[in-house]
């Protein structure tokens, strides 16, 4: 972005897990960051960040926010892969129709760039190539969450072709990181840390060999800034570490940190417990964005464990 003139970024979902870590980075890149959340609870204040509460699905309200906005970063989602399958119609209404209506508003208001936080962990499906999924790998999402993310990416292409808005999707692998308190519903690592610190058994569906690519949330935030600055031709970027760790690997890491084994209960059923492996090839991001992850899983989980262990002791 040209720092010689006033530039404005609208961040949607700013109080969410990734959004709350990205605000500070955006405040250094833009003259003004308008941070939107449905509800704000004691956000960390920055001089050039304006905090607004409002409803993303209120078209008139959202249209009023777009005057002079150069770049939109959309991190809003109302479902998870599991909850989306319980009510796919609601997922479509909120996360597909809602997003399509809003990107049209952006296009007609002459927003220059639209960045969408998509999902590298759910879009591709099975099987995972030996060297990981790249941006041109076949897509076969197994949840409504992934289907809706992928469908909206297609609409982004449509609106770019129709209106000229630069629309880029960031396919994030499995983010983890610091939050004021551990939410056991916020992913495997948070769940294992929560159970560990509360001396609770960990329940695992399957045999624990399912493999994922875990990315520190601060590395995701850095990638968002790189995409804000990007002026090249690519429109989809994988953001991960390109390294796969199994559930058992994460359990072993946390067990080492607490100096005693965790109690693990393996549950088995006839149904498939998610994709067997999901690892992202991030070569394109390295080449086009000059981005690569900086935080290893061991370093990230160690810091998280130490932070939350201190709070409960």
């Amino acid at each position: 972005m040209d720092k010689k003139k006033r530039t404005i970024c609208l961040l949607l979902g700013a109080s969410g897990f990734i959004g709350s870590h990205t605000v500070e980075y955006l405040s250094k890149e833009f003259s003004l960051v308008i941070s939107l959340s449905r509800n704000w609870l004691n956000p960390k204040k920055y001089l050039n960040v304006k905090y607004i509460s409002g409803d993303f699905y209120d078209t008139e309200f959202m249209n009023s926010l777009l005057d002079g906005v150069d770049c939109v970063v959309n991190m809003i989602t109302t479902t998870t892969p599991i909850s989306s399958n319980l009510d796919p119609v609601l997922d479509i209404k909120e996360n597909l129709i809602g997003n399509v209506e809003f990107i049209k508003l952006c296009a007609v208001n002459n927003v220059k760039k639209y960045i969408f936080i998509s999902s590298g962990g759910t879009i591709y499906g099975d099987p995972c190539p030996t060297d990981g999924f790249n941006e041109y790998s076949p897509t076969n999402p197994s949840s409504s969450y992934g289907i809706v993310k992928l469908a909206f990416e297609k609409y982004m292409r449509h609106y770019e072709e129709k209106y000229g808005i630069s629309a880029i999707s960031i396919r994030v692998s499995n983010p983890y990181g610091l939050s004021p308190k551990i939410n056991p519903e916020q992913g495997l690592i948070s769940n294992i840390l929560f159970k560990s610190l509360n001396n609770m058994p960990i329940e695992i569906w399957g045999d624990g060999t399912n493999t994922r690519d875990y990315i520190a949330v601060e590395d995701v935030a850095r990638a968002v800034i790189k995409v804000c600055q990007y002026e090249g031709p690519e429109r989809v970027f994988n953001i991960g570490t390109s390294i796969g760790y199994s559930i058992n690997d994460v359990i072993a890491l946390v067990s080492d940190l607490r100096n005693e084994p965790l109690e693990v209960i393996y549950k088995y059923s006839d149904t498939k417990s998610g994709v067997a492996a999901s690892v992202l090839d991030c070569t394109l991001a390295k080449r086009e964005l000059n981005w690569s992850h900086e935080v290893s899983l061991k370093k990230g989980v160690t810091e998280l464990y130490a932070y939350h262990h201190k709070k409960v002791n």
Side-chain angles (χ1 to χ4, degrees), residues 187-205:
L188 176 76
I189 290 175
S190 290
N191 185 278
I192 291 175
L193 287 174
F194 178 85
K195 298 289 180 63
S196 169
L197 293 169
N198 289 280
N199 295 309
M200 299 167 63
I202 297 167
E203 297 182 350
I204 300 297
W205 287 98

Side-chain angles (χ1 to χ4, degrees), residues 1 8 10 12 66 68-74 99-116 152-169 227-228 230-236:
M1 291 291 173
I8 303 174
L10 173 60
L12 308 179
L66 290 170
V69 168
D70 302 282
C71 177
V72 166
V73 179
N74 186 353
N99 278 321
V100 171
E101 288 178 340
F102 181 67
I103 195 173
K104 183 176 180 179
L105 286 180
C106 293
V108 299
N109 277 278
N110 298 313
V111 173
K112 298 180 180 66
K113 180 170 285 189
Y114 187 100
I115 298 169
F116 176 63
F152 183 62
E153 287 188 8
K154 303 296 184 183
Y155 276 105
M156 290 170 66
R157 304 288 78 73
H158 169 70
Y159 278 94
E160 178 161 15
E161 291 173 3
K162 186 174 181 180
Y163 292 97
I165 183 172
S166 176
I168 301 177
S169 57
V227 173
C228 288
Y230 181 67
E231 297 181 354
E234 301 295 337
R235 291 296 176 263
V236 178

Side-chain angles (χ1 to χ4, degrees), residues 268-282:
Y268 298 91
S269 70
D270 294 332
T271 59
K272 187 179 178 183
S273 57
V275 298
S278 180
V279 179
L280 302 185
D281 177 351
C282 302

